[in-house]
Amino acid sequence: MSRSLPTVGPGASAVPVDHAAAAARFTADEARTDWHDGALWHVRRNRDRAAAAVPEWEALRELASAIKEHTLARLDEYLVEFEANALAHGVRVHWARDAAEHNAIVAGILEAAGARRLVKSKSMLTEECGLNPYLEARGVEVVDTDLGERIVQLRQEPPSHIVMPAIHLKKEEIGTLFHERLGTPAGLSDPTALTAAARADLRARFLAADAALTGVNFAVAETGGVVVCTNEGNADLGTALASVHIASLGIEKVVPTLDDLGVFLRLLARSGTGQPLTVYTSHVQAPRAGQALHFVLVDNGRSRQLARAGFWRSLKCIRCGACLNTCPVFRRSGGHSYGASLAGPIGSVLTPGFDLERYATLPFASTLCGSCTAVCPVKVDLDAQLYRWRQQVTAAGLAGRKKTLLARVAGGVLGRPRLFALAGALARALLRRLPRPLLRAGAGPWGAARELPRAPAQSFRSWYRDRQRRQGRTS
Amino acid sequence: MSAREEILRAVRAARPAATPHPDVRAFARELPDAADDLAARFSAAASAAGARILEGRRSDVARLIAGAYPEARVVVSAVAGLAGTAPLGDVPRTLAGIDLFVCEARFGVAENGAVWIPASGAGARAALFLAPHEVVVLEREAMAANLHEACARLDLAGESFGAFVAGPSKTADIEQALVIGAHGPKTLTLILVDG
């Protein structure tokens, strides 16, 4: 079963992502677009309520940002400290330069343990690496156990959101899927009943699993343990039962101390779903009796991103999803339109670093309104980074002919005051005289969904000149 | 060069300018004193997370459990002095058939209604997640105001595992509809005891 859109690695497609074209397919269904927009805005409002209930919220964000920046500036030291403490507890620590190495390490661990059945909990890193198809090709049965992830796995599609993988689906669609795959009664679409069916199906798989793989929210250098946050309890059920636990983590997940961890835990769930804390915040410190515990530390482009002066702060991200929920473009184009394992503003900032040509359209999938930056719990300057990527995309000649030409013409006009005044006068005259359909056609895709403004009688500059003259007379 | 060496070398070469490590304890000390009535704030937050709250003396616990879960046949207890009907087995999978699991938390967190349960308090870690229903005993006085205090209190020495648990397991993955009882317990009852 191949479903992921790995960002890099074995299954990555070389076809450039056309975000605007994919978004147009999504918005063709207007009712669904409105529904999707509303569902995410609801989560954004839950976040607002949770944040407002903490008086020190803004100071907390500042603190979290400062801790992450401090940590990233000494990341090699904290990684070594984390590794030493983990090793002291009997954890086996592996290092992977890239996605292919990560996948090979995981496959090697499973093979050595004779494990054929793997239960997974949410891990954006394994989506990034394309782990599922890699393991399935080697005969491993991979079962995603987070309900949303299970739904998209059964549909053979990637998750559309970091925190809510199946947010793009309606309950009736999930009901049909479960009828076909889990044998629920036809027409059943009640979320409680569907969840119960998934619970029963997955409980049997948990009990039969040979190995469990989890993502990691935080790795604490001073304790050598990892912290996994879930609401469903799926990560814990998997790791408490299986005789092998593999935790895969990007190297940027390290925080120095438990005190630092507390700051991020206060921010993560409030920003992501509006809960004060996820139901389970689990610290995995050492293998259980009879269990093997592996940590796989993955670079896969992170050290390269750390070296980029304008972009290293994106590594502060704690994957809460708040920037997706608030983004007017994400809400109305859906996670799949980004064609990458991470969507939304954070995805558009991280993925161009993997392959600028393939992801050249993503930095333009934004209005640069800055709402993402305003809600980010660790103060990643997302809109500024999107703007910087646009400049790099354009400099590399990847912005596309239309965009490049338009920018060149606009630059030429805006840089010449007299030409600008002339163009303005011409535009006002045309807006008044040309028939409406022709005008809207001339405005391109922008005009397709909008009315053009009524032409003002005069430009701002001439209005201002007149005003100065009048004031000169009265004073 | 090994992957480890290569990654560490690349990270070292990429390091941005150093900045100081913020003092989280100093930040926490500056917060307005929220030490009053922690148990009441804890109860409100835990209820909001879907937990049921009972209160009583330690000697009342068995009676409170029997009253709350009259149907429970197979009860496993990790609380000293509180007998269950089945032993806390060593093999995680043998716990799959239990009706109710009872354990004791070390402390609660007033700001979010979570309780801290280390592996040494849970007995078998799997029971915490396999049981369909769960009772957690907690001393009323054992409260941290917020996660700063809670994290300062964590003692992980000798623990293979520990979890903050806030309410029964839940999901909202189908159309954002909240469903209690995802993969873990469907109900969680907290018993606040005096002394």
Side-chain angles (χ1 to χ4, degrees), chain A residues 265-290:
Chain A
L265 292 180
R266 294 191 76 195
L267 291 162
L268 177 65
R270 286 185 173 98
S271 298
T273 62
Q275 298 167 271
L277 192 69
T278 49
V279 175
Y280 300 106
T281 304
S282 301
H283 298 240
V284 177
Q285 294 293 123
R288 300 188 324 267

Side-chain angles (χ1 to χ4, degrees), chain A residues 70 76-77 83 97 145 148 164 171 199 203 207 231-232 239 259-260 266 270 279 281 283 285, chain B residues 4 6 12 15 19 21 25 93 111 125 130 148 160 162 164 166 170-171 173 175-176 182-184:
Chain A
H70 162 80
D76 53 318
E77 295 168 39
E83 179 195 37
R97 277 170 278 230
T145 58
M164 299 166 286
K171 60 184 185 212
R199 175 187 168 110
R203 181 57 72 101
L207 291 167
N231 280 322
E232 299 184 4
T239 61
D259 282 327
D260 296 322
R266 294 191 76 195
R270 286 185 173 98
V279 175
T281 304
H283 298 240
Q285 294 293 123
Chain B
R4 179 183 185 277
E6 206 170 303
R12 212 169 292 131
R15 279 164 50 143
T19 52
H21 190 181
R25 299 238 172 155
R93 283 177 179 79
E111 80 161 318
R125 172 174 150 193
L130 277 168
H148 302 304
S160 61
F164 286 111
K170 54 176 76 81
T171 183
D173 273 348
E175 279 201 14
Q176 288 297 295
H183 290 301

Side-chain angles (χ1 to χ4, degrees), chain A residues 44 60 62 87 99 125-126 146 157 164 206 261 369 383 415 433 445 463:
Chain A
R44 157 71 208 267
L60 209 53
E62 199 64 61
L87 290 171
L125 176 62
T126 59
D146 172 82
E157 61 183 13
M164 299 166 286
F206 276 120
L261 174 73
C369 69
D383 59 321
R433 290 188 179 83
W463 170 84

